[in-house]
């Protein structure tokens, strides 16, 4: 399933069904952090998003024995470390955080491209076709001419998910074809402005955070159509 943010965030009430499987520490952290998720989403995405990306990339590469990815990540670390070593000692840590927090703004865009969408369990996921699943769990970000470059093609998150190896300069050309296909099969095609997506996601996090206070609630799995 695409929701796995506990104990930091609760993005679907379906997660509460397995709340008891969390460790005591994770349950404590969830009760502490989830009620604040409306306020912490953007700061956490900006501040630790880049660090988290490196960590989960290395863990995934090692777990799945993607040794060429491991080599690439180590080469990046060596290059970045060498570049930082050129700087005066007192500037290295500030440079690291300024660089990663600046890049972390993009992680906000990546995060809101998947929040406040349909959420499916692993069982529901298996019943959905690939195309329908991507359309129900992903949104695009509408950009203007002046900020289109900043997103690096990831504003077309739907097309990126459907065709992950497609060069980014072709994603915009593919968008009308995907929209037409969605209309044909009566599937949603979510695309909104950056500010609109942020507002929608924060509103959703604000409304769902209260489920953490009702651990005895017998949450039922919602049907796929919801």
């Amino acid at each position: 399933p695409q929701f796995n943010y506990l104990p930091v965030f609760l993005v679907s009430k379906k997660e509460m069904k397995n709340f008891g499987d969390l460790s005591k520490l994770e349950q404590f952290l969830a009760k502490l952090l989830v009620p604040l998720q409306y306020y912490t989403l953007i700061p956490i995405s900006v501040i630790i998003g880049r660090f988290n990306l490196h960590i989960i990339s290395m863990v995934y590469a090692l777990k799945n024995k993607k040794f060429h990815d491991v080599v690439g990540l180590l080469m990046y670390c060596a290059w970045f470390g060498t570049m930082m070593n050129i700087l005066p000692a007192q500037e290295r840590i500030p440079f690291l955080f300024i660089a990663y927090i600046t890049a972390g703004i993009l992680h906000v865009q990546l995060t809101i491209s998947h929040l406040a969408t349909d959420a499916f369990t692993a069982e529901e996921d298996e019943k959905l076709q690939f195309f329908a699943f991507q359309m129900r769990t992903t949104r695009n970000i509408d950009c203007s001419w002046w900020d289109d470059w900043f997103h690096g093609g990831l504003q077309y998150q739907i097309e990126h998910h459907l065709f992950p190896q497609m060069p980014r300069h072709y994603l915009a050309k593919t968008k009308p074809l995907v929209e037409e296909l969605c209309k044909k099969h009566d599937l949603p095609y979510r695309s909104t402005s950056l500010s609109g997506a942020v507002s929608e996601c924060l509103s959703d996090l604000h409304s769902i955070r209260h489920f953490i206070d009702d651990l005895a609630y017998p949450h039922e799995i919602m049907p796929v159509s919801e």
Side-chain angles (χ1 to χ4, degrees), residues 58-103:
M58 181 61 77
V59 170
Y60 175 84
L62 291 171
K63 184 177 179 180
N64 293 276
K65 299 181 180 180
K66 303 286 186 180
F67 297 117
H68 56 289
D69 289 343
V70 174
V71 172
L73 289 166
L74 291 176
M75 289 177 62
Y76 167 79
C77 292
W79 167 78
F80 194 82
T82 301
M83 183 178 64
M84 285 188 58
N85 196 50
I86 298 175
L87 299 173
Q90 68 273 17
E91 297 180 7
R92 293 171 187 170
I93 298 301
F95 171 80
L96 173 66
F97 277 94
I98 291 174
Y100 273 40
I101 288 175
T102 301

Side-chain angles (χ1 to χ4, degrees), residues 38 41 112 115-118 139-141 190-207:
Y38 174 80
L41 174 67
I112 64 176
L115 295 180
T117 60
D118 294 337
R139 74 161 51 79
N140 280 2
I141 302 299
R190 296 181 176 91
S191 187
T192 185
S193 66
L194 181 63
S195 59
V198 170
S199 176
E200 184 177 348
C201 291
L202 291 181
S203 177
D204 186 66
L205 290 177
H206 185 271
S207 65

Side-chain angles (χ1 to χ4, degrees), residues 89-196:
Q90 68 273 17
E91 297 180 7
R92 293 171 187 170
I93 298 301
F95 171 80
L96 173 66
F97 277 94
I98 291 174
Y100 273 40
I101 288 175
T102 301
I105 298 173
L106 186 58
H107 287 270
V108 175
Q109 183 257 308
L110 293 172
T111 302
I112 64 176
S113 292
H114 302 93
L115 295 180
T117 60
D118 294 337
F120 301 108
T121 64
E123 294 77 14
E124 293 170 333
D125 187 359
E126 292 178 357
K127 296 178 181 179
L128 282 175
Q129 295 182 348
F130 173 78
F131 183 81
F133 178 81
Q134 299 304 328
M135 301 314 303
R136 291 179 179 273
T137 60
T138 315
R139 74 161 51 79
N140 280 2
I141 302 299
D142 296 331
C143 295
S144 303
W145 62 269
W146 55 270
D147 66 342
D148 186 80
W149 64 273
F150 179 76
H151 296 272
L154 292 177
Q155 69 269 37
Y156 301 106
Q157 193 72 197
I158 292 174
E159 290 72 26
H160 171 65
H161 275 221
L162 294 174
F163 311 103
Q165 295 185 342
M166 178 178 287
R168 63 184 181 183
H169 55 277
Y170 283 122
L171 296 175
K173 298 179 181 179
T174 307
K175 178 179 179 179
L177 302 177
V178 176
E179 289 179 305
E180 182 179 348
L181 193 59
C182 287
K183 291 180 181 178
K184 180 179 179 180
H185 295 281
D186 194 27
L187 288 170
Y189 186 97
R190 296 181 176 91
S191 187
T192 185
S193 66
L194 181 63
S195 59

Side-chain angles (χ1 to χ4, degrees), residues 31-60:
K31 294 176 184 178
L32 179 67
L33 296 175
V34 169
L36 303 174
Q37 63 183 9
Y38 174 80
Y39 306 101
T40 60
L41 174 67
I42 292 180
I44 288 178
S45 298
V46 171
I47 295 172
I48 71 170
R50 197 68 175 173
F51 296 98
N52 183 62
L53 179 63
H54 293 331
I55 295 172
I56 63 177
S57 296
M58 181 61 77
V59 170
Y60 175 84

